[in-house]
Amino acid sequence: MAIVHELSWSTSRARTFDSCRRKYYYDYYLSWLGWGRNADPERRSAYLLKKMTRMPMFAGDIVHRAIERYYSRRDQGQSFTADEAIDWAVTELRRGYKESRDGGWKARPAKSIRLGEHHYGEARIDEPSGEAGKYGKRYVDRIKECLMTFFQAPELKGVREVEPGDWLACEEMSTFELFDTKIFAIPDFAYVDRRAGAASGDSEDGAPAVRIVDWKTGAPREADRFQLEVYAFYARERWKVDPLRTTAVDAYLGDGSLSEVQITDEVLSGALARIESSLTEMKAVHFDADASKGDPEAFPMVPEAEAPRACSSCGYRELCDRV
Ligand code: SF4
């Protein structure tokens, strides 16, 4: 069945929409249909740039996959120690770095690692000067730090030791509907919360409470909380649980801090209004990318004055002439 271009919504899509409309256009419209080798050259170029990542994201993704492996091994009755996880993760970082540097990504762009730092020849990734070594070490250290937090933080003991029978999701991408639109959500880990008095107290009908955890490898952002609020709707649709019996928490693995959202009626109505407002703005500029490439001018670039901050790590710099 052919995939059809349609408007969907996610917190990351909303973030891109708010940060740069032109980036949003490249991500969700121009790159559409660019996956075929014989695709329209502009679509192909945007698609290949969209598939690029950067070291902070790549390192963060590896941490997520290492934690996913931990749960997968547990599910099979096997262990995956902190040392094994760190070895696996650092090897994966080095493998991806080489795949990007040596052009190995070209054979399978959608499944490979291609770093924006290499594509744009950034000074931070220059090997002869030693800068690349320093830059790479920063992410090796971050991976170690995050995984040690996951495996050792007393605050995460309960999450590490949840019985597999109580797991609900682990890096599961799923969709649900709000305002007649498909909403994407990928909670990192969700489980039946059996702590005494969990989530608004013991329920009279014995319905389970649900706890959702997102692993964060960077600094806290305002958008993190909104993402947790959206998960409450996901929990309602996916597991038919009362959102008021859902707690969601961001676990910042860099420093071990936790930021928890207790879902209330007020939180839900605020999140719903924010999603509706975001969708209304997106609908106003939406067009069918199967039928045309649209008009990029309808999606303004960030102003020149903001470019040093906004564009310096964007993968689309060459399309915007902001290299
Ligand atoms: S280079 Fe700048 S203006 Fe262009 S898409 Fe990226 S952030 Fe937007």
Side-chain angles (χ1 to χ4, degrees), residues 19-24 26 300-302 307 310-311 314-318 320 322:
S19 66
C20 175
R21 292 289 170 93
R22 185 62 58 89
K23 185 173 192 301
Y24 174 79
Y26 292 148
M301 291 162 54
V302 292
C311 306
C314 177
Y316 296 118
R317 317 210 280 279
E318 67 186 34
C320 296
R322 288 193 170 167

Side-chain angles (χ1 to χ4, degrees), residues 51 62 75 89 110 114 116 139 157 260 270 291 295 301 319:
K51 288 290 159 192
I62 290 173
D75 194 28
R114 183 191 187 194
Y139 295 101
K157 186 172 187 291
E260 180 169 323
D295 176 12
M301 291 162 54
L319 299 186

Side-chain angles (χ1 to χ4, degrees), residues 128-242:
S129 65
E131 287 303 309
K134 283 191 253 172
Y135 188 58
K137 184 175 180 309
R138 193 193 300 175
Y139 295 101
V140 168
D141 291 346
R142 183 179 296 182
I143 283 173
K144 288 181 180 171
E145 197 175 67
C146 288
L147 288 176
M148 287 312 287
T149 301
F150 172 76
F151 281 96
Q152 294 186 348
E155 299 82 2
L156 296 177
K157 186 172 187 291
V159 188
R160 287 192 299 271
E161 296 180 356
V162 179
E163 289 300 324
D166 282 339
W167 301 353
L168 294 170
C170 184
E171 300 283 350
E172 169 192 275
M173 183 171 79
S174 192
T175 60
F176 61 100
E177 288 229 340
L178 281 177
F179 305 109
D180 296 322
T181 305
K182 194 184 280 181
I183 312 286
F184 281 87
I186 316 178
D188 290 339
F189 188 56
Y191 59 96
V192 177
D193 191 357
R194 299 198 184 280
R195 295 171 305 160
S200 72
D202 297 325
S203 104
E204 287 173 12
D205 60 4
V210 166
R211 191 161 172 84
I212 297 173
V213 186
D214 248 12
W215 315 116
K216 298 291 181 195
T217 56
R221 300 173 300 182
E222 189 277 333
D224 295 346
R225 182 185 164 94
F226 181 39
Q227 190 172 31
L228 294 182
E229 293 169 2
V230 172
Y231 287 155
F233 296 105
Y234 175 86
R236 181 181 68 187
E237 300 302 317
R238 180 81 176 80
W239 304 301
K240 311 293 175 218
V241 294
D242 179 353

Side-chain angles (χ1 to χ4, degrees), residues 262-306:
Q262 178 69 59
I263 306 300
T264 62
D265 285 326
E266 203 181 356
V267 167
L268 287 175
S269 58
L272 206 55
R274 196 166 160 185
I275 294 169
E276 185 176 25
S277 153
S278 172
L279 260 173
T280 302
E281 285 189 279
M282 285 181 188
K283 280 177 183 167
V285 293
H286 179 66
F287 66 91
D288 179 4
D290 278 315
S292 82
K293 290 187 278 187
D295 176 12
E297 296 308 317
F299 299 85
M301 291 162 54
V302 292
E304 192 83 45
E306 292 172 27

